[in-house]
Amino acid sequence: MTLGLRALLLLLTASWTALAPSATQAAGVAVRFTEGLTRGFLLVRAPDGRLLGQGDLIQVARGHRVESQMILRLADGSIYDERVVFTQDGVFALLSYHLVQHGPAFPERLDAVFDVRDGRYSVTSGSGRSEKAVTGQMTMPADVSNGMAITLLKNLPRGPSQTVHVVAFTPKPRLIELELVPAGQQQAQVGELRRAVERYVLKPRLSTIMALMAKLLGRKPTDIECLIFKADVPAFVRCDGALSPGGPVWRIEVTSPVDRRTSIGSGRPPRPG
């Protein structure tokens, strides 16, 4: 790295902190459908449709408190494990967040945890001699929504977009705005039927200097597209995008377990021949 570029990055780092979005009080997304007990099965695909791995969505609600985990396991050994705890008392409010990602699919190993209530965070990134650990405390607004995008989209009323905050790890945590933008309807196949689903685009919003620094570091966040079935009771269909700045672009979609050994309606294995 040249002296000029190093000096520029130091200047941008200082500017990033100074120009980050203000952690003012925010309304958050109102609860229209409460979350409950959930066990979902997920597939992870490449942009060209190749199957990369499988995953699980496990969620338990205890009163207004919800504990949720999404874990993705790729064939190359990569793991993405995201755990959130939030409340749903009038509005959705994140309490704590823990993300672990490692394996060849990611730019680097990451173990990040933070608590919204006191703002404390701990981030370990890299491995071996390049491993770095940072701890600290930052002021977080009430609408910080890491790991809650699907829940929020299921509860958004039709109409204008809504903006929340998320914490991005660079590896030091940075607060950025995330705009949840309705983008019309499209058709999705359910068996032999076609059903209308709502399309949303999740757009990270960075200041000019933050965007320049992220581009130089190869960590500029990209848009994520999600499909949500909204008629009657909402349901997640799929999302396309990178789960972390500089991470791989994946399609995450729901699937169902299939017992291919049993004849339909018989409860018994099919007869050979």
Side-chain angles (χ1 to χ4, degrees):
M1 181 184 296
T2 66
L3 178 61
L5 179 56
R6 184 180 293 110
L8 175 61
L9 288 177
L10 290 173
L11 175 62
L12 288 174
T13 301
S15 301
W16 183 309
T17 303
L19 297 181
S22 173
T24 56
Q25 291 296 319
V29 174
V31 177
R32 300 174 64 221
F33 303 94
T34 55
E35 295 289 305
L37 183 67
T38 300
R39 178 61 188 262
F41 300 93
L42 306 172
L43 295 179
V44 184
R45 297 188 183 276
D48 61 7
R50 288 180 296 110
L51 183 63
L52 299 177
Q54 294 81 33
D56 293 279
L57 178 62
I58 303 168
Q59 184 171 278
V60 177
R62 297 181 174 88
H64 291 294
R65 180 187 173 99
V66 181
E67 300 175 5
S68 183
Q69 177 189 20
M70 182 180 74
I71 181 167
L72 307 176
R73 306 175 183 86
L74 273 65
D76 66 3
S78 299
I79 296 290
Y80 183 94
D81 188 351
E82 184 178 58
R83 306 183 187 214
V84 299
V85 179
F86 62 91
T87 58
Q88 48 183 352
D89 188 9
V91 297
F92 291 101
L94 182 65
L95 298 179
S96 62
Y97 179 79
H98 189 188
L99 171 64
V100 175
Q101 65 179 41
H102 59 82
F106 299 101
E108 62 182 3
R109 177 184 291 267
L110 178 69
D111 187 336
V113 60
F114 66 81
D115 193 301
V116 177
R117 293 160 291 188
D118 60 15
R120 296 186 182 277
Y121 63 84
S122 174
V123 183
T124 303
S125 61
S127 59
R129 294 184 177 181
S130 64
E131 182 176 290
K132 298 179 181 179
V134 293
T135 60
Q137 192 170 14
M138 62 188 292
T139 302
M140 298 184 186
D143 69 346
V144 168
S145 301
N146 288 60
M148 297 178 61
I150 294 172
T151 297
L152 300 187
L153 294 179
K154 290 192 298 183
N155 284 268
L156 281 183
R158 287 188 172 90
S161 62
Q162 185 160 340
T163 300
V164 296
H165 289 86
V166 294
V167 177
F169 302 101
T170 63
K172 185 177 180 180
R174 308 288 183 180
L175 193 65
I176 65 174
E177 292 181 342
L178 181 68
E179 188 177 6
L180 313 176
V181 183
Q185 288 188 338
Q186 68 183 65
Q187 297 293 309
Q189 196 76 26
V190 183
E192 296 183 353
L193 300 178
R194 295 181 67 81
R195 306 292 294 270
V197 295
E198 302 290 333
R199 179 172 170 263
Y200 292 90
V201 180
L202 282 57
K203 293 181 172 290
R205 299 300 188 190
L206 305 181
S207 68
T208 301
I209 292 181
M210 289 174 68
L212 177 58
M213 180 179 178
K215 184 177 181 179
L216 287 172
L217 297 177
R219 291 183 173 274
K220 186 174 181 180
T222 57
D223 294 351
I224 297 177
E225 177 186 294
C226 293
L227 298 182
I228 305 292
F229 179 75
K230 295 296 281 280
D232 302 321
V233 178
F236 167 67
V237 179
R238 66 166 172 82
C239 283
D240 295 349
L243 297 180
S244 59
V249 174
W250 291 337
R251 166 168 290 186
I252 300 173
E253 59 187 24
V254 293
T255 188
S256 298
V258 176
D259 182 359
R260 301 189 182 279
R261 300 174 302 168
T262 304
S263 299
I264 296 176
S266 70
R268 300 187 304 272
R271 293 180 179 179

